Amino acid sequence: MKNKIKVPGKTVRAEYSWRIRIFPMIFMVILISVNCISQTRLFDNEWRFHHGGMQSAETPGFDDSAWRVVDLPHDWSIEDIPGTGSPFLHHAVSQVGGGYTVGGTGWYRKTF
């Protein structure tokens, strides 16, 4: 007769006992792996912003440490113009077509 192991409520042959011991470990490894893979991260916070043109700002090693930190959503075209208390200029180049805003180029960067 083969060796038998007592499991609460049953008697199990020894040749199957390794399955009883290893199944919970395999289950935990799978559970932990799935949890690590399916992380959700917010992507809206801590972007770097610069209003105006900037040479080589598209390169990964560009130093943007002096740029302003903003959270998205962010719309630089309707920020107050320094010294005016308003995002609108009656003499803006874009006039009505641009909503009397300054317009131009703005750069956003994020490191992740």
Side-chain angles (χ1 to χ4, degrees):
M1 182 170 194
K2 299 209 178 216
N3 293 337
K4 294 188 177 187
I5 297 174
K6 294 234 180 213
V7 173
K10 299 183 182 183
T11 300
V12 179
R13 286 187 288 183
E15 61 191 71
Y16 296 111
S17 67
W18 66 271
R19 292 179 187 169
I20 292 171
R21 286 188 224 126
I22 201 161
F23 178 75
M25 290 187 288
I26 292 172
F27 180 74
M28 289 301 293
V29 168
I30 291 170
L31 187 63
I32 291 168
S33 298
V34 168
N35 193 23
C36 291
I37 293 171
S38 63
Q39 285 185 340
T40 302
R41 291 186 180 190
L42 295 177
F43 205 66
D44 295 346
N45 298 334
E46 298 180 3
W47 284 76
R48 298 281 180 168
F49 171 74
H50 172 76
H51 183 205
M54 186 63 64
Q55 291 285 11
S56 303
E58 74 280 1
T59 58
F62 182 81
D63 180 16
D64 58 8
S65 60
W67 291 15
R68 189 164 48 123
V69 176
V70 296
D71 294 336
L72 300 183
H74 176 256
D75 186 352
W76 60 267
S77 68
I78 59 169
E79 287 185 330
D80 287 350
I81 297 165
T84 66
S86 172
F88 308 108
L89 285 177
H90 69 280
H91 60 278
V93 174
S94 62
Q95 294 293 304
V96 174
Y100 292 97
T101 58
V102 176
T105 303
W107 280 90
Y108 291 89
R109 289 176 52 95
K110 182 167 181 77
T111 302
F112 55 96

